Amino acid sequence: MTKKIKITDLIKGALEEGDYEFQINFLVAGLMSEESNDTEINILQNKQWLSEIAEFCRTYSGNKEKEEYMQHLNKTILDFLPVLEEELLILKQPED
């Protein structure tokens, strides 16, 4: 049986690399992209993953540069989550 990797494990791994901002931004941008949020199931899953990343960012402590980046990322995600809520409402509306 394979071990299931958590989304925060990917973030932790990226933080160990020199290009951590690129790797994490790439991951988060994929979760925020319109193409990744085209169905209710995708939106709900991405919302969950983004919420987990935001919580990880909120509680992260490390070097000052990474802490500042994580605070910025947390704010970016929290600002985006209401967009997903709006998308869910739009998808749930009956078509005319």
Side-chain angles (χ1 to χ4, degrees), residues 18-89:
D19 65 346
Y20 68 92
E21 288 184 42
F22 174 78
Q23 291 185 32
I24 295 170
N25 288 345
F26 189 78
L27 173 65
V28 171
L31 295 173
M32 291 180 167
S33 75
E34 186 174 346
E35 291 81 18
S36 294
N37 291 296
D38 58 349
T39 67
E40 184 177 350
I41 292 169
N42 289 347
I43 291 171
L44 291 170
Q45 181 61 70
N46 289 343
K47 183 179 168 198
Q48 176 63 36
W49 284 331
L50 287 166
S51 296
E52 288 176 29
I53 294 169
E55 180 62 18
F56 178 84
C57 291
R58 188 185 70 74
T59 60
Y60 177 79
S61 62
N63 73 40
K64 182 141 177 81
E65 179 183 322
K66 289 180 181 178
E67 283 182 13
E68 289 174 1
Y69 168 73
M70 297 304 259
Q71 289 170 8
H72 169 74
L73 186 60
N74 181 45
K75 181 183 179 325
T76 300
I77 292 170
L78 293 178
D79 289 346
F80 181 75
L81 287 175
V83 173
L84 290 181
E85 288 296 328
E86 290 176 21
E87 289 296 318
L88 277 175
L89 291 174

Side-chain angles (χ1 to χ4, degrees), residues 86-96:
E86 290 176 21
E87 289 296 318
L88 277 175
L89 291 174
I90 291 169
L91 284 174
K92 290 181 180 181
Q93 288 179 355
E95 294 183 24
D96 294 338

